[in-house]
Amino acid sequence: MTALAATIFAIKRYALHDGPHIRTTIFFKGCPLACHWCHNPEGMDFKVEILSLTEKCVGCRECLEKCPAQVLQLTPDGIRRDENRCTLCRTCTLTCPALAHEATGRQIGVGELVAEISKDLPFFDQSGGGITCSGGEPLCQPEFLYAFLTACGALGIHRAVDTSGFAPTETLLRIATVTDLFLFDVKLMDSKRHELYTGVTNNMIFSNLKALTATGKPIRIRIPVIAGVNTDEENIRATGALAAGCRVEGIDVLPYHPSATAKYRKLNKIYQGKLFTAPSGESLARIVEILQQYSDDVRIGG
Ligand code: SF4
Ligand code: SF4
């Protein structure tokens, strides 16, 4: 088994919306996009992050004494860390009695991750489910991803990859050789608006979708639906036409929900998505009705 390692931030068991049947979803850390509505902000940064939750600190100074790198300070504004000198050793997360330090992300080897997900083999066997690699963007850790998916294939586990499609084409096509299903995000058809809301244009994403289609691999298009951003009929029809042209298996409509506010606060990141609203039931029904003109398999929630 290879000694490759990946940085992941979560493993979610019994996931019902990340591919067919019961899934175990592995969330890879780091993403080249910065979608304003992202509900997994812990997946944006590629490196492990240590958060200091100042409001929990009771001022006992335990972490200051135990920090091997001596990079913590107790100030009138709360606990402060010198990010440049912090070695990410996690001692503070283990010693703070008030749980005021929290780590997000960890390194994991291929063997360790395969052993971890192998515990779920009975569920996969019974339900026809499998693993889904999500994030963040799993294609950003391609060597690990390839080795992990290969190992899962050897165990007969169904493998899905949930991707933004923003990666070198050769990387995507290599991963396709060891993937059973792609969950491929299509956020906005207009490239300028795509760049405005995600930080990148959609040119490479769409050329990758075309290249992936040519491989014949099963693909489901996933549309995060955000009121006033991509809910207009023109965008929905263009997305439906794209899906039909790629002969995808189906389309998943993922309504935006403003549930990530607390996560952004903890990470000290600005949540631009709090300005958005979820689509109304009426709007959602209309979107599904339009998409059904392009695909026989349109689902809300995936
Ligand atoms: S150990 Fe926790 S409670 Fe004590 S000073 Fe450090 S952050 Fe505050
Ligand atoms: S992670 Fe380690 S080096 Fe960084 S602040 Fe905590 S104890 Fe210090």
Side-chain angles (χ1 to χ4, degrees):
M1 190 72 71
T2 173
L4 285 168
T7 309
I8 64 169
F9 65 90
I11 297 175
K12 183 169 120 195
R13 297 199 142 82
Y14 314 115
L16 297 173
H17 301 293
D18 293 330
H21 310 293
I22 297 176
R23 319 292 302 179
T24 296
T25 304
I26 301 103
F27 293 87
F28 287 68
K29 201 155 165 27
C31 184
L33 276 66
C35 303
H36 289 192
W37 50 81
C38 179
H39 63 276
N40 281 334
E42 64 274 57
M44 289 176 166
D45 210 309
F46 285 89
K47 61 182 190 334
V48 173
E49 294 167 277
I50 305 275
L51 322 173
S52 295
L53 311 175
T54 283
E55 69 278 9
K56 288 191 177 178
C57 174
V58 294
C60 71
R61 304 184 70 86
E62 186 75 14
C63 61
L64 276 68
E65 284 160 25
K66 297 277 169 58
C67 171
Q70 295 289 292
V71 298
L72 291 170
Q73 273 188 314
L74 197 53
T75 74
D77 293 328
I79 204 81
R80 289 285 176 267
R81 171 194 326 274
D82 182 342
E83 304 280 351
N84 297 324
R85 290 173 47 233
C86 170
T87 61
L88 302 175
C89 71
R90 296 177 186 233
T91 303
C92 53
T93 67
L94 301 172
T95 53
C96 173
L99 304 178
H101 299 281
E102 202 174 284
T104 175
R106 66 181 164 118
Q107 289 268 304
I108 193 164
V110 174
E112 191 187 345
L113 186 54
V114 171
E116 186 71 31
I117 59 106
S118 293
K119 294 176 194 163
D120 303 329
L121 274 167
F123 295 104
F124 302 153
D125 290 344
Q126 280 165 26
S127 76
I131 59 101
T132 299
C133 295
S134 183
E137 175 50 71
L139 294 178
C140 285
Q141 303 188 60
E143 293 308 321
F144 178 95
L145 185 63
Y146 184 84
F148 173 62
L149 291 171
T150 302
C152 289
L155 292 171
I157 299 171
H158 182 270
R159 303 155 297 180
V161 171
D162 180 7
T163 178
S164 67
F166 192 84
T169 307
E170 57 272 25
T171 297
L172 175 68
L173 296 183
R174 181 164 179 253
I175 293 300
T177 63
V178 289
T179 299
D180 302 304
L181 171 69
F182 279 91
L183 307 173
F184 200 105
D185 290 0
V186 175
K187 303 168 200 298
L188 264 163
M189 295 302 293
D190 181 88
S191 197
K192 281 212 172 81
R193 283 172 59 73
H194 193 282
E195 187 173 16
L196 175 71
Y197 285 113
T198 71
V200 302
T201 67
N202 56 19
N203 303 332
M204 181 162 71
I205 293 169
F206 290 168
S207 65
N208 274 343
L209 179 57
K210 205 171 155 191
L212 193 57
T213 300
T215 68
K217 280 284 166 182
I219 303 168
R220 292 191 72 84
I221 294 289
R222 311 198 107 194
I223 314 172
V225 176
I226 305 107
V229 173
N230 59 358
T231 47
D232 57 285
E233 182 159 346
E234 187 184 346
N235 182 67
I236 296 299
R237 283 202 180 280
T239 309
L242 177 74
C246 294
R247 300 180 303 282
V248 301
E249 281 201 347
I251 304 174
D252 298 328
V253 174
L254 311 175
Y256 164 81
H257 51 87
S259 60
T261 307
K263 286 194 204 173
Y264 278 84
R265 198 169 45 240
K266 269 191 192 174
L267 285 160
N268 205 17
K269 287 184 172 148
I270 295 167
Y271 184 26
Q272 307 193 66
K274 69 181 176 208
L275 302 173
F276 300 131
T277 51
S280 66
E282 195 185 335
S283 163
L284 212 49
R286 176 69 184 138
I287 287 166
V288 169
E289 188 186 314
I290 294 170
L291 291 172
Q292 282 171 338
Q293 294 167 27
Y294 299 91
S295 170
D296 293 335
D297 184 358
V298 179
R299 301 177 198 168
I300 294 179

